[in-house]
Amino acid sequence: MEIRKTQVAMATLLAIMALMASQVVFAGKYSDSMALHERNMAEMQALKASLVRRNLPAMVSPPPTPPQAVPGPRVYQVISYGADPTGKSDSTDAILKAMADAFEGPNHGILMEGINDLGGARIDLEGGIYLISRPLRFPSAGGGNLLISGGTLRASDDFPVDKYLIELNDESSKLQYIFEYITLRDLLIDCNYRGGAIAVINSLRTSIDNCYITRFGDTNGILVQKGHETYIRNSFLGQHITAGGDRGERNFSGTAVNLVGNDNAITDTVIFSAAIGVMISGQANLLSGVHCYNKATGFGGTGIYLKLPGLTQNRIVNSYMDYTGIVAEDPVQLQISGTFFLGDAFILLKSIAGVVRGVNIVDNMFSGSGNGVQIVQLDQTNKAFGDVDQVVVDRNSVNGMATRSTVAKGSVDGNGTSWTVDLNPVLLFPNLIKHVQYTLVASEANAFPVHALRNVSDNRVVVETNAPVTAKVYVTADQ
């Protein structure tokens, strides 16, 4: 029995030893296999890297360079130049120094010939009130792309009465245009009843935006002379600070905006006191969204005065003439439409050489006091209008005023051989009918008279028949 137990134990021990030996052999084979796999992978990675380096050099980025410092915006803050933001001491020299430094800044290229691009430099008034004793001018001509904004300029008691607080001007310049793309924004300019506020002389693409201009003297609030494309928008102008019904309105003087040049625009702007709201003596200007209640016509005021006899070429649209009207001298190519005339405000065509051509006064609203004021009137004191062509006054809505038009309709009943339709109460020009259409309707069923147009003089249309008949005559005429 003992011998048998010893034999079984030996067999078990041999089996365990054989199993352990087989595991060792397997582990060795597995370890060799893993090492071979890792070696193959390393060789493949090295081959791939060599191919990338040899065939795709552009994909390898150079080491990053440290970031360069970016220059900040060029903002010239006038207080740092010594300007007094309280308005107690004279800040003229300090602001002029800031303007000079802005012009001496880096040149970013050329705009129009001879005009340096100042890169959008800004002269910041920092919300202060500054006393000004002489005009603020740039040191020379030839600059553009610059902004002045954010404060109040007030004329001193000794400011020259024939100057402007800001002057874009250089009398010595020989350039075609002195400045280009200068923007004046968010400014209140108080002229202290001395001179004017802004003069833009022979400049190009100037913007006057969101400015309040007041207390200018017997001169212009804004003067635009020569140059092109000065845009005045979202601004308020008045010689006296009032909201209408001012007791001193009869004494208002000066002109809020004087456009002595072409291709300018005034949009979304209110003119609340001045003898003349806008004076225009240049072609191709546009007024849109302009509200004039500067001085009532009854007190001798004019909302918009077009002083361009013989070649007007201006447009007044979507505006509001509030107790003050429009005067146009010998207008040629003038558009007035979509405008509201309140308080007996009217349009006056003033003859200088008797010329009126290409005028459209259409689709406006007129509201008056019921005193029979005509919506469009003629001043023929100098000379009667003799050259009248392509004038259309029509489709206007009239309430409490007398309609005037270049197109009229009328009718008359009668029994006889002659019918006269008087169109004088409507037609604008006296003794001028260029085209007539009429219809004669006989009341008797069997009547068939021969009829003809006999006369159109004195704006009266005369129709006659060859025999007495009861009839009604309808007439349409235009001038």
Side-chain angles (χ1 to χ4, degrees):
M1 179 66 69
E2 292 296 331
I3 295 172
R4 187 174 179 180
K5 287 181 179 179
T6 300
Q7 291 175 344
V8 171
M10 287 297 292
T12 302
L13 180 60
L14 290 172
I16 292 172
M17 292 176 65
L19 179 59
M20 293 176 63
S22 66
Q23 289 178 345
V24 170
V25 172
F26 175 78
K29 289 182 179 180
Y30 176 77
S31 177
D32 292 343
S33 175
M34 286 299 295
L36 178 61
H37 174 72
E38 291 175 356
R39 188 166 55 251
N40 289 340
M41 289 299 294
E43 291 175 355
M44 289 177 65
Q45 292 291 342
L47 176 62
K48 181 178 180 182
S50 67
L51 291 173
V52 170
R53 285 194 299 270
R54 183 170 63 250
N55 297 329
L56 301 172
M59 296 181 63
V60 180
S61 300
T65 58
Q68 301 295 318
V70 178
R74 293 195 300 117
V75 179
Y76 299 86
Q77 296 175 323
V78 298
I79 294 176
S80 66
Y81 286 83
D84 176 12
T86 68
K88 295 179 180 179
S89 60
D90 193 340
S91 295
T92 307
D93 289 334
I95 297 177
L96 286 173
K97 183 62 169 65
M99 296 170 69
D101 283 358
F103 255 54
E104 293 171 1
N107 180 9
H108 295 263
I110 299 295
L111 297 172
M112 287 292 290
E113 182 179 357
I115 297 180
N116 294 327
D117 180 359
L118 301 175
R122 289 182 288 155
I123 298 173
D124 186 1
L125 300 183
E126 304 181 78
I129 301 173
Y130 303 97
L131 190 65
I132 305 300
S133 60
R134 63 184 189 278
L136 298 176
R137 284 189 173 194
F138 290 108
S140 64
N145 193 9
L146 179 142
L147 167 69
I148 303 176
S149 67
T152 297
L153 302 175
R154 179 164 295 143
S156 64
D157 291 337
D158 59 349
F159 189 90
V161 295
D162 59 344
K163 300 295 183 181
Y164 295 80
L165 271 78
I166 298 177
E167 294 186 353
L168 301 183
N169 192 15
D170 185 352
E171 294 89 348
S172 63
S173 175
K174 303 300 182 184
L175 294 174
Q176 180 183 7
Y177 299 105
I178 300 174
F179 302 103
E180 181 180 5
Y181 191 33
I182 302 294
T183 300
L184 308 175
R185 180 185 299 154
D186 303 334
L187 300 174
L188 189 152
I189 303 180
D190 179 357
C191 304
N192 194 23
Y193 301 116
R194 300 293 296 174
I198 300 171
V200 180
I201 310 299
N202 199 26
S203 298
L204 187 63
R205 305 182 185 106
T206 304
S207 291
I208 301 172
D209 189 6
N210 193 35
C211 290
Y212 190 117
I213 293 171
T214 188
R215 302 210 301 166
F216 46 89
D218 190 10
T219 180
N220 308 297
I222 298 175
L223 170 65
V224 179
Q225 187 171 337
K226 300 189 290 186
H228 280 273
E229 300 148 20
T230 292
Y231 274 51
I232 303 168
R233 51 180 173 257
N234 305 320
S235 293
F236 305 89
L237 297 96
Q239 185 182 55
H240 303 271
I241 298 177
T242 179
D246 193 284
R247 293 181 178 179
E249 184 173 345
R250 293 177 181 273
N251 300 317
F252 289 173
S253 63
T255 299
V257 181
N258 193 353
L259 299 180
V260 192
N262 302 341
D263 306 343
N264 306 295
I266 306 175
T267 59
D268 302 326
T269 291
V270 176
I271 300 171
F272 53 86
S273 61
I276 298 175
V278 182
M279 174 72 78
I280 304 177
S281 51
Q283 287 80 27
N285 297 293
L286 170 65
L287 276 63
S288 175
V290 177
H291 179 190
C292 291
Y293 62 103
N294 47 287
K295 184 176 183 178
T297 299
F299 295 153
T302 303
I304 301 171
Y305 198 114
L306 298 135
K307 199 174 184 63
L308 306 103
L311 188 60
T312 311
Q313 292 181 333
N314 275 269
R315 293 161 291 160
I316 303 170
V317 298
N318 303 328
S319 293
Y320 179 12
M321 309 307 296
D322 192 348
Y323 283 79
T324 187
I326 298 174
V327 177
E329 296 183 354
D330 274 3
V332 175
Q333 292 191 309
L334 171 64
Q335 176 86 16
I336 302 174
S337 61
T339 293
F340 179 37
F341 294 79
L342 178 66
D344 288 326
F346 59 88
I347 300 169
L348 178 67
L349 306 181
K350 184 174 182 178
S351 174
I352 303 299
V355 178
V356 53
R357 295 197 304 265
V359 174
N360 292 320
I361 302 173
V362 295
D363 301 324
N364 301 288
M365 294 191 300
F366 293 84
S367 179
S369 58
N371 291 323
V373 177
Q374 299 174 2
I375 64 170
V376 182
Q377 301 179 22
L378 305 179
D379 180 351
Q380 303 185 89
T381 305
N382 295 318
K383 184 178 181 180
F385 283 111
D387 186 356
V388 179
D389 187 35
Q390 300 181 70
V391 178
V392 179
V393 180
D394 196 19
R395 304 195 312 271
N396 296 297
S397 172
V398 181
N399 180 36
M401 298 179 72
T403 299
R404 276 291 182 266
S405 178
T406 56
V407 179
K409 297 179 180 180
S411 63
V412 64
D413 292 295
N415 186 336
T417 59
S418 181
W419 289 259
T420 300
V421 179
D422 187 357
L423 300 177
N424 278 296
V426 177
L427 289 178
L428 176 62
F429 296 98
N431 193 25
L432 180 64
I433 292 179
K434 293 187 175 182
H435 301 92
V436 175
Q437 291 180 325
Y438 80 92
T439 301
L440 187 146
V441 180
S443 301
E444 301 168 6
N446 59 350
F448 202 96
V450 176
H451 53 84
L453 179 66
R454 301 294 289 176
N455 199 337
V456 295
S457 62
D458 296 323
N459 288 345
R460 294 179 175 87
V461 178
V462 179
V463 175
E464 294 183 353
T465 59
N466 63 334
V469 64
T470 302
K472 188 170 186 176
V473 173
Y474 299 88
V475 171
T476 299
D478 74 70
Q479 298 184 307

